[in-house]
């Protein structure tokens, strides 16, 4: 069973400057909840109650968010505003939160390796909070992946089809479909040009990783921009047939981009009204 979920949250969020100059991008709100809270709710729904967060400088508000604010609680106690804290109270009472810092920005692979101290020697999930996922008709994306992990017991990446002109923004997989929506990965390339992309199946910010990924990351050489890429480490597992890609049910919003963030806000508002 997967009980631990890691949130890499040390990035600068430069696409949202100046808003993210003093506020973590993971704390940007969609309606009344920050992005990272949606991610933790998805993790808890899937059975992950041990939450590890890899932070960096200027990210203290994330820790404060998942803590009790006694002064605020006292001020709104007994008022109609108290109900507004019910969702965060559920998380703080149901989950444990642990934090470690990534001192240098060396890529997602390095961020995940930094989180090893919070994970230990067991399989775990990874959620990138700026990929907001929502499945109105059933289980959340991570719950779907945990169910798949129980069957196959190997690393799993979530994928979706993207426009061919967008492949250079993602890790792209190549694989054989072994059941509906499930592919055994035999190759993956980080941000390929259109002519070098093996498919238009793009990895998005949901992973289940087996613990040997840490040993692989330790010896993974930096790739583009001098960063350690998780796709390079996963490719080593894929060579042994131990990585699946899952075309998930639901919708994903790229809230790391302004367009995706606005779209998510509008869609969630429309759903919230109804």
């Amino acid at each position: 069973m997967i009980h631990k979920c890691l949130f890499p949250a040390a990035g600068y969020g430069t696409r949202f400057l100046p808003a993210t100059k003093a506020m973590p991008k993971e704390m940007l709100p969609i309606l009344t909840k920050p992005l990272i809270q949606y991610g933790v709710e998805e993790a808890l729904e899937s059975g992950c109650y041990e939450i590890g967060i890899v932070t960096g400088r200027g990210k203290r508000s994330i820790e404060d968010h998942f803590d009790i604010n006694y002064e605020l609680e006292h001020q709104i106690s007994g008022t109609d505003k108290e109900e507004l804290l019910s969702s965060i109270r559920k998380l703080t009472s149901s989950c444990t939160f642990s934090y470690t810092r990534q001192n240098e920005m060396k890529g997602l692979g390095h961020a995940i390796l930094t989180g090893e101290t919070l994970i230990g020697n067991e399989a775990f999930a990874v959620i990138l909070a700026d990929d907001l996922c929502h499945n109105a008709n059933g289980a959340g994306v991570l719950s779907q992946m945990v169910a798949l992990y129980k069957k196959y017991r190997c690393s799993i990446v979530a994928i979706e089809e993207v426009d061919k002109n967008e492949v250079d923004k993602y890790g792209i997989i190549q694989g054989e479909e072994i059941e509906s929506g499930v592919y055994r990965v035999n190759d993956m390339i980080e941000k390929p040009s259109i002519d070098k992309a093996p498919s238009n199946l793009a990895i998005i910010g949901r992973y289940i990783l087996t613990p040997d990924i840490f040993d692989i990351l330790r010896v993974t050489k930096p790739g583009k921009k001098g960063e350690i890429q998780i796709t390079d480490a996963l490719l080593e597992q894929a060579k042994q047939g131990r990585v699946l890609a899952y075309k998930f049910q639901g919708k994903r919003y790229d809230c790391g981009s302004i367009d995706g963030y606005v779209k998510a806000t509008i869609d969630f508002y429309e759903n919230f009204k109804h």
Side-chain angles (χ1 to χ4, degrees):
M1 191 61 179
I2 308 286
H3 292 305
K4 295 183 179 181
C5 186
L6 191 67
F7 285 79
Y12 293 122
T14 51
R15 285 187 284 180
F16 279 86
L17 286 170
T20 49
K21 182 174 180 289
M23 179 174 71
K25 66 175 180 176
E26 295 82 9
M27 291 299 294
L28 289 169
I30 300 293
L31 304 185
T32 59
K33 286 192 289 194
L35 284 168
I36 196 166
Q37 183 173 334
Y38 286 101
V40 173
E41 287 172 350
E42 183 183 336
L44 181 59
E45 180 208 28
S46 76
C48 294
Y49 52 84
E50 295 183 52
I51 308 299
I53 303 180
V54 179
T55 65
R57 289 177 294 279
K59 301 279 186 165
R60 284 295 301 275
S61 61
I62 295 175
E63 296 183 40
D64 290 340
H65 183 70
F66 294 110
D67 198 357
I68 297 171
N69 183 328
Y70 289 102
E71 184 177 351
L72 175 63
E73 297 262 354
H74 176 73
Q75 287 294 326
I76 66 174
S77 178
T79 73
D80 57 359
K81 296 287 192 296
E82 195 169 10
E83 175 62 25
L84 299 177
L85 286 180
S86 60
S87 63
I88 190 66
R89 279 175 174 167
K90 179 184 177 183
L91 296 183
T92 55
S93 63
S94 303
C95 300
T96 60
F97 293 86
S98 304
Y99 302 87
T100 191
R101 280 200 173 197
Q102 183 185 16
N103 296 324
E104 300 176 83
M105 302 299 106
K106 291 183 178 178
L108 178 57
H110 182 263
I112 290 172
L113 182 57
T114 301
E116 181 182 13
T117 186
L118 306 178
I119 298 298
N121 188 34
E122 61 185 270
F124 63 103
V126 177
I127 287 180
L128 306 186
D130 52 6
D131 268 349
L132 176 59
C133 294
H134 177 63
N135 184 23
N137 301 312
V141 174
L142 197 59
S143 293
Q144 298 168 42
M145 295 173 70
V146 166
L148 198 62
Y149 175 79
K150 289 177 184 175
K151 181 176 180 180
Y152 288 99
R153 300 283 170 170
C154 65
S155 291
I156 304 168
V157 297
I159 55 169
E160 69 175 3
E161 293 187 37
V162 297
D163 188 276
K164 284 263 194 272
N165 295 321
E166 302 271 300
V167 293
D168 61 346
K169 299 178 181 177
Y170 298 93
I172 302 295
I173 70 108
Q174 181 181 50
E176 57 173 313
E177 194 167 16
I178 59 173
E179 63 174 274
S180 179
V182 180
Y183 299 78
R184 190 170 297 283
V185 176
N186 51 48
D187 197 11
M188 53 177 65
I189 304 174
E190 180 66 22
K191 299 179 180 176
S193 56
I194 294 175
D195 58 314
K196 291 186 178 176
S199 72
N200 69 330
L201 296 173
I203 301 169
I204 64 107
R206 299 291 182 278
Y207 306 79
I208 289 178
L209 302 174
T210 51
D212 58 303
I213 198 74
F214 294 124
D215 288 334
I216 298 171
L217 282 167
R218 263 187 279 280
V219 296
T220 298
K221 290 183 169 60
K224 291 185 177 181
K225 300 181 182 177
E227 296 182 339
I228 297 173
Q229 304 291 352
I230 188 62
T231 45
D232 291 338
L234 283 164
L235 184 54
E236 290 302 308
Q237 290 185 331
K239 288 175 182 176
Q240 301 168 39
R242 295 192 295 111
V243 179
L244 298 181
Y246 171 61
K247 195 184 288 185
F248 60 90
Q249 303 296 310
K251 187 165 185 177
R252 166 243 178 197
Y253 299 90
D254 176 13
C255 291
S257 72
I258 292 173
D259 287 348
Y261 180 80
V262 172
K263 178 79 169 103
T265 300
I266 293 169
D267 284 3
F268 273 60
Y269 177 68
E270 292 299 325
N271 291 331
F272 184 72
K273 280 200 306 184
H274 299 117

